[in-house]
Amino acid sequence: MEIRMISKDSSSRRRFRKIILMFQLLFILFIFFWAVDLKAWKDRSGGLSISSDRPQNIKLPYPDDELFRIGRPGAYRGEQLKEIAFPLGGIGTGTISLGGRGNLRDWEIFNRPGKGINFPFTFFALYMESDGKKFSRVLEGQITPPYSAGFGYRREEVPGLPRFRTAVFRGEYPMAEVELSDPDLPVAVTVEAFNPFIPGDAENSGLPVAVLKYRVKNLTGKEIRITLAGSVANPIGFDGQGEFNSLFNAAFGQNINRVVKGPVSGLYFLSKKVQPDSPAYGTLAITTTWPDLTYVSHWVRGEWWDDLQIFWDDFSDDGQLKDLDAEEPSPDGRTDVGSLGLKATIPAGGEVVLPIVISWHFPNLVDYFDVVREQRGRLYHPYYNKKFRDAWQVAEYLFQNLNELEQKTRHFREVLFSSSLPPYVLDAVSSQASIIRMPTCLWLDDGRFFAFEGCSDRSGCCPLNCAHVWNYAQSLAFLFPELERSMRETDFLVNVRPDGAMVFRTSLPLGEKFWNFKPAADGQLGRLINLYRDWQISGDLNFLKKLWPQAKKALEYAWVGWDKDRDGLLEDEQHNTYDIEFFGPNSMLSGFYLGALEAGARMAEAVGDKKAAAEYRKILEKGKKNYETLLWNGEFFIQKYDQALQKKYQYGEGCLSDQLLGQWLAMVAGLGRFLDEARIKKTLESIYRYNFRDNFYDFANVQRTYALADEKGLLLCTWPRGGRPPLPFPYSDEVWTGIEYHVASHLIYEGMVREGLSIVKAVRDRYDGRRRNPWNEVECGHHYARAMSSWGILLALSGFSYSSPEGRLGFSPAINQENFRTFWSLGPTWGIYEQRLGQDRVFSCELGLEQGSFNLRELNIEFPATASSAFKSVSCRLGGKDIKAVARLSGKRLSLKFRQPVQLKGGEVLQLKIIS
């Protein structure tokens, strides 16, 4: 652009030049200070672009370089190995866990939890012969202290046999590995372990197997001869109750260890004593496709220490077992150990990978847990029983499909863990997805999915499908949505009574008898928000129409049970997830109600029920006004109740961490904000300010304790303005990871990224392998379902939005906006999203589909904070062809609406290029 000025005399021209020079100087100074400020900002954020609305005067417990460092989770060593138990097993099958040292522990395969069930004399060992020297080692790291047992360490765990000097554990669920090394040995060994896990493919993610691959590397310049031997005690007859720490038990007898040879070879464990209708009936197998084998069907049945002594001496002599395949049933009252050996020769500097599969099949699941006591004792069957007749058929299927299943599992793992997110975030998201495959969850042969809240050591805790706990859980809905939808069908088609009240705990068989207890307000209303989410994920309008009549009845029950004056607030007795009743209008449960009204209105519109939609919106508008007028105290939302009538178990003036739970569920479900944005942010700031503790040294808690001493954590409630009731609601002083995760992700949604990440990191610091097992977050039991709220962290950090009915996807990263990559999933449809801001100011985005298909009509993206949102052109290509779209810009958000739906299929990448 050229600007011409015409002056009357030279003096005016001189004055004009001075003005121009002054403006030029000011412009140069502006650019200089802008650059300095940008550099300082990037230094503070570790060079990351961060979307942030950070509150003032809040001290953060972690520096930015810890919070924002990108990478994969690190390794566990030394004392960190002690608590590790990495679960291996399928959906509804139970699991075996890989310990931090490489040991197998917690055999939870008997259709019930089994913490501490460690089979006697069950271990893997390696024989090595190199340059005339012989070595034998148990394939585990050293046993960690304490060693304080009164009669010495149990010999059934073979503690006196030599082990590798060092173990290093790495876990990226669903895959783990243990590196074993010893300076005295000529090899290094890596144990690789997994069970097939493929989002959207529940069938192949529900196999009762543990896959172990032993990678043995020759560290010498000469050839080495090795034998890998796996020894397993035959467990058939044990039903998962009590202990299996000895070969002697009245339940045993007539146990057979059968040697089977063929394309799949190994040991097949069964019993002729156990009847087919017994919970203890079943089979187990240890198998391989390795051709060069040695074996012994059962160890010597001797006295004192004869069995292990004879086996170890024989194995250590030359790595060759007796090749005994005698099928001799065990005497009554005892079982046997069998061993399978894989022999190999490794050239100098070479390596070999030896495959082992442990499979199981226990077809009878006894209902020991039913919430209706008279229903207990019936037998049901796990889903895998529908597909396989025994453990051997499971192994054959696994080996026939191993390459494909392993490739898909590894690909999912690589896509997820290549996301440009902090390692502790990836850890939180992935580790708690394992709950789907723990004994917390049941998948029965009719296809229905059921679940406890968590697990005691030997039984499920708090049956079944507890609505107010499973409200929080998000992992199942985004990874295996068809199973989540089966829970919605149970919620609405089975558990809604004629008056609209929902039974929030399920009894089996479905529909025969119901738990006689009051409905839970948060459970019932939260399930409506989840129903909307499930419809948005699936896009299945017929599914919504089938459930809508009962869903409508459940929503309108609020006018009978809790909101009789239809003012949008719940006033009457409200049972909830704290196992008590709140009274009067309160932030938590009325928030659920407002979210359910918004979800109900949208679903009603979708199915053509305009009258209901209008009524819901009318009450919603009243409720929003009343909620923000009556319950807002200037910093957060509270509870109003008659203290003369309700003496105990309320929160009143307290700052409740769950007060915006309904709003968070709405964000996850794609409903957006129904409360005032500024007040949402102020409330979240207050929750973080008042409820997050840097340590617990001076905190008095008489309730259950989940964080103590130097640990950090988020309390359920505090009373920063006073007014704590003498007896506040139970659990108020506790720390629950499921609540921590939803608060953290809500903070991130609202731009308080550092605060949110600080909470996530605090949780994972507590579950560090030394203090607690990283793959077992507890609350009312092990592997507690509420912890699957951790999936919300991935959703919030990626800014992932979705609507299958509308054909819409969107991404708005909260960190690393200039170079971002994330995994995203809608179950059978999942993929990768990437965006990059180039040096040439070209902003490029790629939406990749790794599996499934998606009918894309709209894509929403957001420019990085450091980029100009003014653009000259947008190009969109798929498979080398231009795609026509209409681009609309609103602030930093760019919406692309395609003139024709774009049919995205697995393996395809949609490419965008935006030139500023």
Side-chain angles (χ1 to χ4, degrees):
M1 180 182 294
E2 183 180 352
I3 300 176
R4 293 185 178 182
M5 299 290 292
I6 300 176
S7 301
K8 293 182 179 179
D9 53 43
S10 60
S11 63
S12 63
R13 285 195 295 270
R14 285 194 297 271
R15 285 196 300 273
F16 177 74
R17 290 193 193 100
K18 287 180 180 179
I19 292 171
I20 292 297
L21 287 171
M22 182 179 68
F23 275 108
Q24 287 176 335
L25 179 60
L26 288 172
F27 180 76
I28 291 170
L29 288 172
F30 171 79
I31 294 296
F32 172 79
F33 285 110
W34 176 83
V36 169
D37 185 67
L38 178 62
K39 180 179 185 302
W41 176 83
K42 285 193 173 184
D43 287 343
R44 289 194 301 271
S45 63
L48 304 171
S49 51
I50 304 166
S51 173
S52 181
D53 285 313
R54 182 178 176 183
Q56 300 300 310
N57 303 318
I58 288 184
K59 182 181 178 182
L60 295 168
Y62 301 101
D64 276 3
D65 60 349
E66 285 189 44
L67 282 182
F68 293 103
R69 180 180 63 82
I70 303 306
R72 299 178 82 134
Y76 297 86
R77 295 176 170 85
E79 289 188 354
Q80 289 181 305
L81 303 176
K82 182 179 178 181
E83 292 297 321
I84 287 176
F86 186 95
L88 304 169
I91 301 171
T93 71
T95 60
I96 303 167
S97 288
L98 180 67
R101 300 182 292 106
N103 53 311
L104 297 180
R105 55 176 292 185
D106 299 340
W107 292 66
E108 304 182 79
I109 61 176
F110 303 102
N111 294 312
R112 61 191 305 145
K115 288 288 177 271
I117 293 178
N118 300 320
F119 287 11
F121 305 111
T122 297
F123 63 98
F124 286 83
L126 188 67
Y127 168 84
M128 300 149 279
E129 188 172 328
S130 173
D131 199 21
K133 297 180 181 178
K134 300 178 181 180
F135 308 88
S136 297
R137 295 288 189 275
V138 174
L139 278 163
E140 299 172 9
Q142 297 296 307
I143 294 174
T144 55
Y147 310 130
S148 54
F151 292 88
Y153 222 96
R154 288 181 53 245
R155 68 177 291 265
E156 288 81 4
E157 296 184 32
V158 298
L161 297 182
R163 285 165 165 76
F164 279 70
R165 196 79 59 87
T166 303
V168 177
F169 188 97
R170 289 181 173 83
E172 295 179 344
Y173 193 81
M175 309 192 83
E177 65 178 40
V178 184
E179 297 174 0
L180 299 170
S181 60
D182 193 316
D184 296 332
L185 298 179
V187 301
V189 180
T190 301
V191 186
E192 300 172 348
F194 74 98
N195 176 288
F197 189 103
I198 306 158
D201 186 354
E203 292 273 344
N204 283 315
S205 302
L207 302 177
V209 297
V211 181
L212 304 170
K213 291 191 170 185
Y214 288 84
R215 185 179 301 273
V216 185
K217 182 172 181 57
N218 184 350
L219 302 178
T220 75
K222 296 184 179 181
E223 185 177 85
I224 292 180
R225 189 166 63 85
I226 66 166
T227 301
L228 167 71
S231 299
V232 178
N234 183 334
I236 312 304
F238 178 65
D239 65 359
Q241 300 185 73
E243 302 296 333
F244 178 27
N245 53 20
S246 164
L247 300 180
F248 298 90
N249 188 309
F252 296 135
Q254 299 295 302
N255 289 73
I256 293 174
N257 301 352
R258 179 176 295 160
V259 175
V260 180
K261 301 173 185 177
V264 176
S265 301
L267 295 174
Y268 177 55
F269 300 102
L270 62 150
S271 169
K272 291 187 175 181
K273 177 178 178 179
V274 183
Q275 297 303 305
D277 61 350
S278 168
Y281 180 79
T283 56
L284 185 139
I286 175 172
T287 55
T288 186
T289 52
W290 195 256
D292 195 0
L293 302 177
T294 184
Y295 47 84
V296 57
S297 59
H298 67 82
W299 289 3
V300 171
R301 300 166 185 157
E303 300 176 312
W304 288 91
W305 329 125
D306 298 0
D307 46 11
L308 179 58
Q309 187 74 65
I310 292 171
F311 165 78
W312 189 253
D313 288 348
D314 181 34
F315 177 69
S316 299
D317 180 51
D318 57 4
Q320 178 69 35
L321 302 178
K322 298 296 185 183
D323 289 346
L324 173 69
D325 58 5
E327 197 170 297
E328 301 172 351
S330 66
D332 196 48
R334 72 157 292 161
T335 188
D336 285 318
V337 178
S339 297
L340 175 68
L342 287 63
K343 300 188 292 183
T345 299
I346 311 175
E351 67 176 28
V352 66
V353 179
L354 303 173
I356 292 282
V357 166
I358 300 174
S359 57
W360 58 92
H361 187 278
F362 293 92
N364 300 323
L365 187 158
V366 63
D367 182 353
Y368 62 87
F369 48 76
D370 207 284
V371 69
V372 179
R373 289 184 176 272
E374 53 265 36
Q375 300 293 79
R376 296 179 183 179
R378 301 192 189 197
L379 284 182
Y380 297 91
H381 308 288
Y383 185 83
Y384 69 78
N385 185 56
K386 184 177 178 180
K387 189 172 183 178
F388 304 107
R389 66 177 177 273
D390 61 11
W392 198 266
Q393 191 180 24
V394 174
E396 289 179 327
Y397 177 86
L398 188 283
F399 276 117
Q400 287 167 6
N401 297 277
L402 179 58
N403 289 339
E404 179 185 2
L405 295 177
E406 182 174 1
Q407 186 275 327
K408 288 183 176 180
T409 302
R410 287 187 182 277
H411 185 56
F412 160 65
R413 192 267 303 262
E414 287 305 312
V415 172
L416 174 60
F417 283 89
S418 69
S419 300
S420 48
L421 300 172
Y424 59 89
V425 168
L426 294 170
D427 210 22
V429 170
S430 63
S431 65
Q432 299 319 294
S434 69
I435 296 169
I436 297 168
R437 310 209 293 179
M438 298 306 300
T440 302
C441 300
L442 309 176
W443 188 17
L444 300 186
D445 60 355
D446 64 356
R448 297 270 190 166
F449 186 90
F450 302 97
F452 301 98
E453 293 181 25
C455 299
S456 301
D457 285 357
R458 292 291 190 279
S459 62
C461 176
C462 312
L464 270 178
N465 291 24
C466 178
H468 59 65
V469 168
W470 273 83
N471 269 340
Y472 296 74
Q474 302 298 325
S475 307
L476 183 68
F478 286 92
L479 289 169
F480 302 99
E482 71 274 25
L483 299 182
E484 183 76 33
R485 289 196 300 274
S486 86
M487 295 181 83
R488 286 304 77 70
E489 291 179 344
T490 301
D491 290 333
F492 292 104
L493 301 182
V494 177
N495 285 345
V496 173
R497 296 179 184 272
D499 66 353
M502 179 185 289
V503 180
F504 67 88
R505 296 191 188 278
T506 298
S507 174
L508 298 178
L510 291 178
E512 185 172 298
K513 294 195 176 182
F514 296 91
W515 187 38
N516 186 22
F517 195 75
K518 65 192 76 175
D522 50 352
Q524 181 158 335
L525 297 171
R527 286 335 227 172
L528 288 155
I529 302 174
N530 289 336
L531 174 59
Y532 177 84
R533 175 203 62 195
D534 298 339
W535 169 52
Q536 290 294 299
I537 289 174
S538 69
D540 187 345
L541 184 59
N542 289 330
F543 164 74
L544 180 61
K545 287 181 175 179
K546 182 170 74 170
L547 271 61
W548 175 247
Q550 291 296 90
K552 178 181 180 181
K553 188 183 294 184
L555 178 52
E556 295 179 4
Y557 173 81
W559 308 337
V560 176
W562 305 305
D563 180 25
K564 295 173 183 175
D565 58 4
R566 303 195 191 187
D567 68 347
L569 297 180
L570 306 188
E571 292 96 3
D572 293 346
E573 177 185 84
Q574 304 149 56
H575 187 76
N576 59 74
T577 198
Y578 306 131
D579 300 325
I580 47 82
E581 291 70 41
F582 285 153
F583 294 87
N586 64 84
S587 53
M588 178 186 177
L589 300 174
S590 288
F592 268 102
Y593 184 32
L594 298 179
L597 287 167
E598 178 66 42
R602 296 199 194 187
M603 291 187 289
E605 289 165 351
V607 301
D609 193 345
K610 295 181 180 179
K611 182 179 178 181
E615 181 67 13
Y616 300 157
R617 292 206 180 280
K618 178 182 174 182
I619 297 173
L620 174 63
E621 291 308 311
K622 284 185 190 177
K624 289 194 291 187
K625 182 178 178 180
N626 291 333
Y627 187 97
E628 297 193 354
T629 300
L630 182 64
L631 302 181
W632 178 249
N633 74 355
E635 287 188 291
F636 50 87
F637 296 99
I638 59 173
Q639 176 193 18
K640 296 284 189 178
Y641 70 100
D642 188 339
Q643 298 185 28
L645 294 177
Q646 284 83 42
K647 301 291 188 182
K648 299 195 299 184
Y649 309 147
Q650 308 299 299
Y651 69 93
E653 300 293 324
C655 181
L656 185 71
S657 289
D658 263 343
Q659 62 186 280
L660 292 180
L661 177 56
Q663 177 64 82
W664 172 75
L665 283 175
M667 297 295 285
V668 170
L671 292 165
R673 301 181 187 91
F674 51 78
L675 296 174
D676 177 72
E677 182 177 354
R679 288 186 174 180
I680 291 172
K681 290 181 177 181
K682 184 62 178 177
T683 299
L684 288 167
E685 175 189 336
S686 298
I687 292 171
Y688 184 83
R689 183 188 302 275
Y690 297 129
N691 295 9
F692 184 70
R693 292 187 62 89
D694 193 49
N695 64 71
F696 288 81
Y697 287 122
D698 61 352
F699 184 74
N701 172 25
V702 301
Q703 302 165 11
R704 300 171 302 181
T705 302
Y706 302 106
L708 66 163
D710 63 337
E711 297 179 327
K712 301 171 178 62
L714 186 79
L715 293 168
L716 267 64
C717 194
T718 61
W719 286 262
R721 296 185 170 194
R724 176 184 168 115
L727 293 172
F729 71 93
Y731 318 137
S732 57
D733 294 332
E734 297 183 359
V735 173
W736 297 355
T737 67
I739 291 178
E740 290 178 295
Y741 286 138
H742 92 69
V743 170
S745 55
H746 206 170
L747 282 161
I748 294 166
Y749 271 128
E750 297 299 344
M752 288 169 273
V753 180
R754 288 175 173 85
E755 290 74 14
L757 291 179
S758 294
I759 295 176
V760 180
K761 183 160 174 41
V763 176
R764 298 312 293 170
D765 283 352
R766 299 200 305 267
Y767 285 84
D768 63 354
R770 180 174 65 91
R771 303 169 189 245
R772 300 171 185 84
N773 178 13
W775 290 274
N776 178 13
E777 290 185 7
V778 303
E779 189 190 307
C780 187
H782 303 285
H783 310 288
Y784 199 75
R786 202 186 317 262
M788 285 189 283
S789 61
S790 67
W791 198 262
I793 307 296
L794 177 64
L795 301 177
L797 284 172
S798 64
F800 178 54
S801 58
Y802 59 94
S803 175
S804 293
E806 297 176 16
R808 172 172 47 81
L809 296 175
F811 299 87
S812 177
I815 60 173
N816 306 316
Q817 296 164 339
E818 295 176 2
N819 187 9
F820 183 77
R821 174 185 172 99
T822 188
F823 166 82
W824 61 272
S825 176
L826 294 175
T829 299
W830 57 273
I832 306 169
Y833 171 76
E834 297 183 77
Q835 66 179 47
R836 293 176 297 280
L837 181 62
Q839 302 246 339
D840 53 1
R841 312 313 288 173
V842 173
F843 185 47
S844 59
C845 308
E846 292 186 352
L847 177 66
L849 225 63
E850 301 300 305
Q851 178 181 286
S853 62
F854 194 83
N855 195 24
L856 185 67
R857 296 182 178 90
E858 180 180 343
L859 178 63
N860 298 311
I861 59 174
E862 190 159 322
F863 286 95
T866 56
S868 170
S869 55
F871 61 91
K872 297 177 181 177
S873 66
V874 179
S875 65
C876 182
R877 295 176 65 83
L878 176 66
K881 296 181 180 180
D882 291 331
I883 304 294
K884 293 181 180 180
V886 176
R888 288 187 174 89
L889 185 65
S890 175
K892 290 283 187 180
R893 183 176 181 233
L894 181 67
S895 176
L896 295 174
K897 292 191 176 180
F898 300 97
R899 294 180 179 176
Q900 296 294 328
V902 179
Q903 302 287 339
L904 284 175
K905 299 177 182 178
E908 294 183 332
V909 179
L910 182 70
Q911 298 175 313
L912 301 180
K913 186 174 287 187
I914 304 162
I915 301 176
S916 300

